[in-house]
Every structure is written in C-alpha cells, then in structure tokens.
Coordinates of all heavy atoms in Angstrom, one line a residue:
V1 N -11.9 -25.6 -66.0 CA -11.4 -26.5 -64.9 C -11.2 -25.7 -63.6 O -11.6 -26.2 -62.6 CB -10.0 -27.0 -65.4 CG1 -9.3 -27.8 -64.2 CG2 -10.1 -27.8 -66.6
T2 N -10.8 -24.5 -63.7 CA -10.7 -23.6 -62.5 C -12.1 -23.4 -61.9 O -12.3 -23.5 -60.6 CB -10.1 -22.3 -62.8 OG1 -8.8 -22.5 -63.3 CG2 -9.9 -21.4 -61.5
T3 N -13.1 -23.2 -62.7 CA -14.4 -23.0 -62.3 C -14.9 -24.2 -61.6 O -15.6 -24.1 -60.5 CB -15.3 -22.7 -63.5 OG1 -14.9 -21.5 -64.1 CG2 -16.8 -22.5 -63.0
A4 N -14.7 -25.4 -62.2 CA -15.2 -26.6 -61.6 C -14.5 -26.9 -60.2 O -15.2 -27.3 -59.3 CB -15.0 -27.8 -62.6
V5 N -13.2 -26.7 -60.1 CA -12.5 -27.0 -58.9 C -13.0 -26.1 -57.8 O -13.3 -26.5 -56.6 CB -11.0 -26.9 -59.1 CG1 -10.2 -27.0 -57.8 CG2 -10.5 -28.0 -60.1
I6 N -13.0 -24.8 -58.1 CA -13.4 -23.8 -57.0 C -14.9 -24.1 -56.6 O -15.2 -24.1 -55.4 CB -13.3 -22.4 -57.5 CG1 -11.8 -22.1 -57.8 CG2 -13.9 -21.4 -56.5 CD1 -11.5 -20.7 -58.4
G7 N -15.8 -24.4 -57.6 CA -17.1 -24.6 -57.3 C -17.3 -25.9 -56.5 O -18.1 -25.9 -55.6
F8 N -16.5 -26.9 -56.8 CA -16.7 -28.1 -56.1 C -16.2 -28.0 -54.6 O -16.9 -28.5 -53.7 CB -15.8 -29.2 -56.7 CG -15.8 -30.5 -56.0 CD1 -16.9 -31.3 -55.9 CD2 -14.6 -31.0 -55.4 CE1 -16.9 -32.5 -55.2 CE2 -14.6 -32.2 -54.7 CZ -15.7 -33.0 -54.6
V9 N -15.1 -27.3 -54.4 CA -14.6 -27.0 -53.0 C -15.6 -26.2 -52.2 O -16.0 -26.5 -51.1 CB -13.3 -26.4 -53.1 CG1 -12.8 -26.0 -51.6 CG2 -12.2 -27.3 -53.7
L10 N -16.2 -25.2 -52.9 CA -17.2 -24.3 -52.2 C -18.4 -25.1 -51.9 O -19.1 -24.9 -50.8 CB -17.5 -23.1 -53.1 CG -16.4 -22.1 -53.2 CD1 -16.8 -21.0 -54.2 CD2 -16.0 -21.5 -51.9
Y11 N -18.8 -26.0 -52.8 CA -20.0 -26.8 -52.6 C -19.8 -27.7 -51.3 O -20.7 -27.8 -50.5 CB -20.3 -27.6 -53.8 CG -21.4 -28.7 -53.5 CD1 -22.7 -28.5 -53.4 CD2 -20.9 -30.1 -53.3 CE1 -23.6 -29.4 -53.1 CE2 -21.8 -31.1 -53.1 CZ -23.2 -30.8 -53.0 OH -24.1 -31.7 -52.7
L12 N -18.7 -28.4 -51.3 CA -18.4 -29.3 -50.1 C -18.5 -28.5 -48.8 O -19.1 -28.9 -47.8 CB -17.1 -30.0 -50.3 CG -17.0 -31.1 -51.3 CD1 -15.6 -31.7 -51.3 CD2 -18.0 -32.2 -51.0
V13 N -17.9 -27.3 -48.8 CA -17.8 -26.5 -47.6 C -19.2 -26.0 -47.2 O -19.7 -26.2 -46.1 CB -16.9 -25.3 -47.7 CG1 -17.0 -24.4 -46.5 CG2 -15.5 -25.8 -47.9
A14 N -20.0 -25.5 -48.2 CA -21.3 -25.0 -48.0 C -22.3 -26.0 -47.5 O -23.0 -25.8 -46.5 CB -21.8 -24.2 -49.2
I15 N -22.4 -27.2 -48.2 CA -23.4 -28.1 -47.9 C -23.1 -28.8 -46.5 O -24.0 -29.2 -45.8 CB -23.4 -29.2 -49.0 CG1 -24.7 -30.0 -48.9 CG2 -22.2 -30.1 -49.0 CD1 -26.0 -29.3 -49.1
T16 N -21.8 -28.9 -46.2 CA -21.4 -29.5 -44.9 C -21.8 -28.5 -43.8 O -22.4 -29.0 -42.7 CB -19.9 -29.8 -44.9 OG1 -19.6 -30.7 -45.9 CG2 -19.5 -30.5 -43.5
V17 N -21.5 -27.2 -43.9 CA -21.8 -26.3 -42.9 C -23.3 -26.1 -42.7 O -23.8 -26.2 -41.5 CB -21.2 -24.9 -43.2 CG1 -21.6 -23.8 -42.2 CG2 -19.6 -25.0 -43.2
V18 N -24.0 -26.0 -43.8 CA -25.5 -25.8 -43.7 C -26.1 -27.1 -43.1 O -27.0 -27.0 -42.2 CB -26.1 -25.6 -45.1 CG1 -27.6 -25.6 -45.0 CG2 -25.6 -24.2 -45.6
S19 N -25.7 -28.3 -43.5 CA -26.2 -29.5 -42.9 C -25.9 -29.7 -41.5 O -26.7 -30.2 -40.7 CB -25.7 -30.7 -43.7 OG -26.2 -31.9 -43.2
Q20 N -24.7 -29.2 -41.1 CA -24.3 -29.3 -39.7 C -25.2 -28.4 -38.8 O -25.6 -28.8 -37.7 CB -22.9 -28.8 -39.5 CG -22.3 -28.7 -38.1 CD -22.0 -30.1 -37.5 OE1 -21.6 -31.0 -38.2 NE2 -22.3 -30.2 -36.2
L21 N -25.6 -27.3 -39.3 CA -26.4 -26.3 -38.5 C -27.9 -26.8 -38.5 O -28.6 -26.6 -37.4 CB -26.4 -24.9 -39.1 CG -25.0 -24.2 -39.1 CD1 -25.1 -22.9 -39.8 CD2 -24.6 -24.0 -37.7
I22 N -28.4 -27.5 -39.5 CA -29.8 -27.8 -39.5 C -30.0 -29.3 -39.2 O -31.0 -29.6 -38.5 CB -30.4 -27.5 -41.0 CG1 -30.3 -26.0 -41.2 CG2 -31.8 -27.9 -41.1 CD1 -30.7 -25.6 -42.6
E23 N -29.2 -30.2 -39.8 CA -29.5 -31.6 -39.6 C -28.6 -32.3 -38.6 O -28.9 -33.5 -38.3 CB -29.3 -32.3 -41.0 CG -30.2 -31.8 -42.1 CD -29.9 -32.4 -43.5 OE1 -28.7 -32.4 -43.9 OE2 -30.8 -32.8 -44.2
G24 N -27.6 -31.7 -38.2 CA -26.7 -32.4 -37.2 C -25.4 -32.9 -37.8 O -25.2 -33.0 -39.1
G25 N -24.5 -33.4 -37.0 CA -23.2 -33.8 -37.4 C -23.2 -35.1 -38.2 O -22.5 -35.2 -39.2
R26 N -24.1 -36.0 -37.9 CA -24.1 -37.3 -38.7 C -24.5 -37.1 -40.1 O -23.8 -37.6 -41.1 CB -25.0 -38.3 -38.0 CG -25.1 -39.6 -38.7 CD -26.0 -40.6 -38.0 NE -25.4 -40.9 -36.7 CZ -26.0 -41.8 -35.8 NH1 -27.2 -42.3 -36.2 NH2 -25.5 -42.0 -34.7
K27 N -25.6 -36.3 -40.3 CA -26.0 -36.1 -41.7 C -25.1 -35.2 -42.4 O -24.8 -35.3 -43.7 CB -27.4 -35.4 -41.6 CG -28.1 -35.3 -43.0 CD -28.4 -36.7 -43.5 CE -29.2 -36.6 -44.9 NZ -29.5 -37.9 -45.4
A28 N -24.4 -34.3 -41.7 CA -23.4 -33.4 -42.4 C -22.2 -34.2 -42.9 O -21.8 -34.0 -44.0 CB -22.9 -32.3 -41.4
T29 N -21.8 -35.2 -42.1 CA -20.7 -36.0 -42.5 C -21.1 -36.9 -43.7 O -20.3 -37.1 -44.7 CB -20.3 -37.0 -41.4 OG1 -19.9 -36.2 -40.2 CG2 -19.1 -37.8 -41.8
D30 N -22.4 -37.4 -43.7 CA -22.9 -38.2 -44.8 C -22.9 -37.4 -46.1 O -22.5 -37.8 -47.1 CB -24.3 -38.7 -44.5 CG -24.9 -39.5 -45.6 OD1 -24.4 -40.6 -45.9 OD2 -25.8 -38.9 -46.3
R31 N -23.4 -36.1 -46.0 CA -23.4 -35.3 -47.2 C -22.0 -34.9 -47.7 O -21.8 -34.9 -48.9 CB -24.2 -34.0 -46.9 CG -25.7 -34.2 -46.7 CD -26.4 -32.9 -46.7 NE -27.9 -33.1 -46.5 CZ -28.7 -33.3 -47.4 NH1 -28.3 -33.4 -48.7 NH2 -30.0 -33.5 -47.2
F32 N -21.1 -34.7 -46.8 CA -19.7 -34.4 -47.2 C -19.1 -35.6 -47.9 O -18.5 -35.4 -49.0 CB -18.9 -34.0 -46.0 CG -17.4 -33.9 -46.3 CD1 -16.9 -32.7 -46.8 CD2 -16.5 -34.9 -46.0 CE1 -15.6 -32.5 -47.1 CE2 -15.1 -34.7 -46.2 CZ -14.7 -33.5 -46.8

C-alpha cells in the first residue's frame, strides 16, 4: 500500500511536470 501511494503521487507530479515542459499547460492539466 505504501509503495502504491508513494508511486502514484510521484507519477502525478512527474507526468505533470514533464508534460508542462514539453506539451504545455493545457495538456499537462489533462494528464494530471
């Protein structure tokens, strides 16, 4: 459970930041 929670939070942060840098704010919000 701890693994899943930490992994999920890290995924949301990582995919949002990367998408913000490459795809822009609209796509980053959509992925989040």
Side-chain angles (χ1 to χ4, degrees):
V1 176
T2 303
T3 302
V5 171
I6 296 176
F8 177 68
V9 174
L10 290 177
Y11 167 76
L12 285 180
V13 174
I15 197 66
T16 304
V17 172
V18 173
S19 181
Q20 176 74 34
L21 295 175
I22 298 177
E23 299 176 312
R26 178 178 296 179
K27 190 63 177 179
T29 304
D30 177 71
R31 290 190 181 275
F32 174 79

